[in-house]
Amino acid sequence: MPYVTGGYPGVDAGLLRRLEAAGADAIEVGIPFSDPVMDGGVIQEASAEALRGGARLTDILATIQEAATHVPVAVMTYVNPVYRHGIGSFLDDATAAGVAGVIVPDLPVDEFTELEGAAAERGVDAVLLAALGTATERLGEIGRRSRGFVYCVATYGVTGARERLDDTSRGVVEALRAMTDLPLLVGVGIGTPSQAAEVCAFADGVVVGSALMARIVASDLDGAVDLARSFRAAIPT
């Protein structure tokens, strides 16, 4: 599941279609926010540049609608843009654009009810995140209430490619296996196809963002697509 920052130059409908053609099983599109607390330097830079260029939530949704991919598209953003737009209005616009899922990493499970209900009414999957160190009871609640998949955080800290993977992701996935039948996707820190293959030995998939966005920020769109293709080739079908 490749991640790209919506509104950044070059992240258009054509790029989303190219990522689909490269083998993406789903695509995550970030809606930029001025304080992206989960994101590391590469995606922070991309978000800031997108905002400087005037990107708005509705622009990113229009790009997704124009792309009309055959694979699901999830949007990732933060609480502030969702509440400013209005939860119902945000989800109505997302649904009209063909968005299949929403990820709001700074919305914890105990404050999730309003978004959860509104998304369910519209047939949109509201995805929750799980991290190592989460209490067992809370982890179980995340497994029960997430929809589409559970986003398992691979390491402590913000997004960004790492030279080596921590063992934390395996612990999160193994703990959740007994608690949910949803696919368990691992993200944060996966920088190479070999790391993705390593993770997919115990998880159901990976989310890859910073490694791809680093190529896009370097104005190498072809390189980003080629890298996405390499990630897909490294992962068992």
Side-chain angles (χ1 to χ4, degrees):
M1 185 176 186
Y3 163 96
V4 290
T5 302
Y8 189 82
V11 179
D12 56 16
L15 179 63
L16 299 188
R17 288 192 289 264
R18 290 182 70 189
L19 290 171
E20 178 182 23
D25 296 292
I27 298 171
E28 181 183 356
V29 178
I31 296 173
F33 175 54
S34 58
D35 189 17
V37 294
M38 184 180 171
D39 296 312
V42 171
I43 294 176
Q44 284 185 23
E45 178 186 345
S47 295
E49 180 62 26
L51 291 173
R52 283 193 294 267
R56 297 292 181 267
L57 184 154
T58 51
D59 300 326
I60 283 83
L61 295 180
T63 295
I64 293 168
Q65 185 171 22
E66 180 185 350
T69 60
H70 296 94
V71 298
V73 175
V75 293
M76 193 282 274
T77 189
Y78 292 89
V79 167
N80 294 57
V82 173
Y83 275 90
R84 181 175 177 81
H85 202 73
I87 289 177
S89 179
F90 166 71
L91 288 166
D92 285 341
D93 290 348
T95 302
V99 169
V102 296
I103 306 165
V104 185
D106 59 342
L107 186 66
V109 66
D110 37 64
E111 298 178 17
F112 182 61
T113 301
E114 187 177 0
L115 178 68
E116 177 184 29
E121 288 175 0
R122 293 161 174 81
V124 176
D125 290 331
V127 178
L128 285 165
L129 285 77
L132 193 69
T134 303
T136 301
E137 182 178 347
R138 189 178 182 85
L139 203 61
E141 187 176 4
I142 290 168
R144 288 190 301 273
R145 296 176 65 182
S146 190
R147 293 293 178 267
F149 65 95
V150 180
Y151 191 128
C152 301
V153 179
T155 186
Y156 295 112
V158 296
T159 62
R162 309 294 202 272
E163 290 185 3
R164 62 178 298 276
L165 289 174
D166 295 333
D167 292 332
T168 51
S169 57
R170 183 185 292 271
V172 175
V173 169
E174 290 178 351
L176 276 166
R177 281 292 181 205
M179 300 177 179
T180 183
D181 293 328
L182 290 175
L184 305 177
L185 274 63
V186 172
V188 182
I190 297 170
T192 66
S194 62
Q195 289 175 345
E198 181 182 343
V199 167
C200 286
F202 57 85
D204 301 308
V206 292
V207 182
V208 180
S210 294
L212 297 177
M213 282 307 303
R215 301 283 182 96
I216 293 171
V217 167
S219 300
D220 185 9
L221 292 177
D222 290 343
V225 173
D226 288 343
L227 183 58
R229 188 176 292 111
S230 296
F231 271 102
R232 190 64 191 85
I235 298 170
T237 57

